[in-house]
Amino acid sequence: MMDTAGENTRARLVEAAREVFAEHGFQGATVREICRRADANVAAVNYHFGSKHGLLSEALNFNRLKALQSATESSDASPEERLRAFIMDFMLMLLDEDNASRQCQMMARELADPSPALDKIVVEAIAPLHEFLGRLVKEVAARKMMDADVRRCVYSILGQCLFYRNSHPVLQRMNPTLHYDRKEIEAIARHIADFSLPALRAVK
Amino acid sequence: MMDTAGENTRARLVEAAREVFAEHGFQGATVREICRRADANVAAVNYHFGSKHGLLSEALNFNRLKALQSATESSDASPEERLRAFIMDFMLMLLDEDNASRQCQMMARELADPSPALDKIVVEAIAPLHEFLGRLVKEVAARKMMDADVRRCVYSILGQCLFYRNSHPVLQRMNPTLHYDRKEIEAIARHIADFSLPALRAVK
DNA sequence: CAAGATATCAAACGCCTGTTTGAAAGTAAA
DNA sequence: TTTACTTTCAAACAGGCGTTTGATATCTTG
């Protein structure tokens, strides 16, 4: 059994796939481009993963997102502070430009143009995320809320967060100097929390 | 000069193109599928519009969105009421499932995977929309606000609205009975307004 | 009607896609 | 070294893509 060369190209393929899928989405990505970046032969994808879809499935990974949720849940800060902290970490994950957390970008891509992998993403990552945020919203509101209202508050928070990622091409065109450095991301996260908390407190 | 047959296939192509572009995005749409739905020959697209891009450019139309803005601006209701009304009309336009306003769906598609037409969309539709919302936000807040804060409030409102469209495939998978009928859309719009207004009033 | 412009069509072109193939290279154990 | 197995590779495959072509209808105008 090999380990150095074989496992290396496998790992390199997965990493390159994350890059290319995040940039171009599943449809827009080509296995030739992935193999070029991984410095591997075109046939390598089908040899190691069976198909382009198999590679996508392997490239999807929600560890970072899950870790973020459990970190927030095990905190003993006030519900408001936990929501603030979650939004901050979530935005850092979403907008960090040169880090390795391309999973969120891939997920955002999947939303725009679903492939068969979306079912896996929904069950393993998005549904738990929504439930987690629903619990947090109820804690912050500290009132009896109907499920539909809780859900919509979750949508409002997530919608604000995802906007910066989904609309990035547009925002960049309208404001060419836009750049998501650490300070800017923190300001955005602070705004989203400041915008959302009054609404949650005002829930009737 | 012809008018019945010739103009007919031209118009049928534009209409079919709106359908297909809205469903699959520019990349995912094929001219063969468009021509099939328009009951036209494959060569018709290049004959009438020069290229697939030319057809996209022709299919883009922002009349409905512009009309919505001027209707809101010429109203003499209070700023809060005008914001409520705008959100309602905007959501009706975004989520209406079987109407002819596929322009917004096409625009949302463009955001996810920009084509050269995005520049036109930004300049002609999105930038004016953001400016319009910025003025409305300032009126509602009725306080001096920094430009960056105004902008972020606009993002918060638009983000909430667009979430329902962008994340529709996911929401449908998590809640299979989800259906955007008139009543549901009105409830969503009311929620977004109720969620956003306390935040705008609380602006410091 | 005849001439000429306009529109439609089947067929093909060149390119790119994901995938397959069969041979070559590399590795591990007997 | 021989044997068996895994991994890499260049090349090709079949199919879909946007676009072009040249012939054929269809219609307008003199």
Side-chain angles (χ1 to χ4, degrees), chain A residues 71-122:
Chain A
T72 307
E73 274 189 316
S74 66
S75 161
D76 55 355
S78 73
E80 297 206 0
E81 282 310 312
R82 270 180 289 147
L83 181 57
R84 286 200 107 85
F86 171 82
I87 292 174
M88 178 77 79
D89 291 343
F90 190 57
M91 292 312 285
L92 283 169
M93 195 163 84
L94 268 182
L95 300 184
D96 198 354
E97 276 165 335
D98 44 25
N99 81 345
S101 94
R102 291 182 240 273
Q103 290 93 340
C104 279
Q105 303 180 36
M106 291 176 61
M107 287 171 51
R109 280 281 179 185
E110 277 294 316
L111 299 209
D113 198 18
S115 84
L118 182 54
D119 293 300
K120 178 186 171 188
I121 299 179
V122 168

Side-chain angles (χ1 to χ4, degrees), chain A residues 32-166:
Chain A
R32 279 173 173 82
E33 167 73 4
I34 293 171
C35 290
R36 204 184 52 72
R37 292 204 202 180
D39 205 16
N41 187 275
V42 219
V45 163
N46 291 276
Y47 176 76
H48 285 286
F49 307 97
S51 68
K52 187 186 175 187
H53 276 107
L55 175 54
L56 172 67
S57 188
E58 195 87 1
L60 285 170
N61 181 301
F62 315 111
N63 294 341
R64 178 105 192 264
L65 190 60
K66 285 177 187 160
L68 203 164
Q69 290 173 44
S70 47
T72 307
E73 274 189 316
S74 66
S75 161
D76 55 355
S78 73
E80 297 206 0
E81 282 310 312
R82 270 180 289 147
L83 181 57
R84 286 200 107 85
F86 171 82
I87 292 174
M88 178 77 79
D89 291 343
F90 190 57
M91 292 312 285
L92 283 169
M93 195 163 84
L94 268 182
L95 300 184
D96 198 354
E97 276 165 335
D98 44 25
N99 81 345
S101 94
R102 291 182 240 273
Q103 290 93 340
C104 279
Q105 303 180 36
M106 291 176 61
M107 287 171 51
R109 280 281 179 185
E110 277 294 316
L111 299 209
D113 198 18
S115 84
L118 182 54
D119 293 300
K120 178 186 171 188
I121 299 179
V122 168
V123 171
E124 292 189 19
I126 301 184
L129 174 64
H130 281 235
E131 284 161 25
F132 159 78
L133 271 176
R135 290 192 295 273
L136 200 45
V137 161
K138 277 197 267 195
E139 281 191 74
V140 173
R143 283 176 192 72
K144 268 231 159 68
M145 291 176 70
M146 285 174 48
D147 278 356
D149 289 325
V150 174
R151 216 180 310 126
R152 287 193 187 117
C153 286
V154 170
Y155 296 172
S156 285
I157 294 168
L158 279 179
Q160 290 178 77
C161 294
L162 294 175
F163 178 83
Y164 288 86
R165 161 133 306 284
N166 293 335

Side-chain angles (χ1 to χ4, degrees), chain B residues 2 5 9 41 47-48:
Chain B
M2 82 297 109
T9 65
N41 187 275
Y47 176 75
H48 285 287

Side-chain angles (χ1 to χ4, degrees), chain A residues 168-176 178, chain B residues 114-116 118-120 122:
Chain A
H168 186 238
V170 168
L171 301 182
Q172 187 118 318
R173 273 172 173 79
M174 291 200 297
N175 181 1
L178 176 67
Chain B
S115 84
L118 182 55
D119 292 300
K120 177 186 171 187
V122 167

Side-chain angles (χ1 to χ4, degrees), chain B residues 132-161:
Chain B
F132 158 79
L133 272 175
R135 290 191 295 273
L136 199 45
V137 161
K138 276 197 266 194
E139 281 191 75
V140 173
R143 282 177 191 72
K144 269 233 160 66
M145 291 176 70
M146 284 174 50
D147 279 354
D149 288 324
V150 174
R151 216 182 309 127
R152 288 194 186 117
C153 286
V154 171
Y155 296 172
S156 284
I157 294 169
L158 279 179
Q160 289 179 78
C161 295

Side-chain angles (χ1 to χ4, degrees), chain B residues 55 62 94 110-111 113 115 118 140 166:
Chain B
L55 175 53
F62 315 111
L94 268 182
E110 277 294 317
L111 298 209
D113 198 18
S115 84
L118 182 55
V140 173
N166 293 335

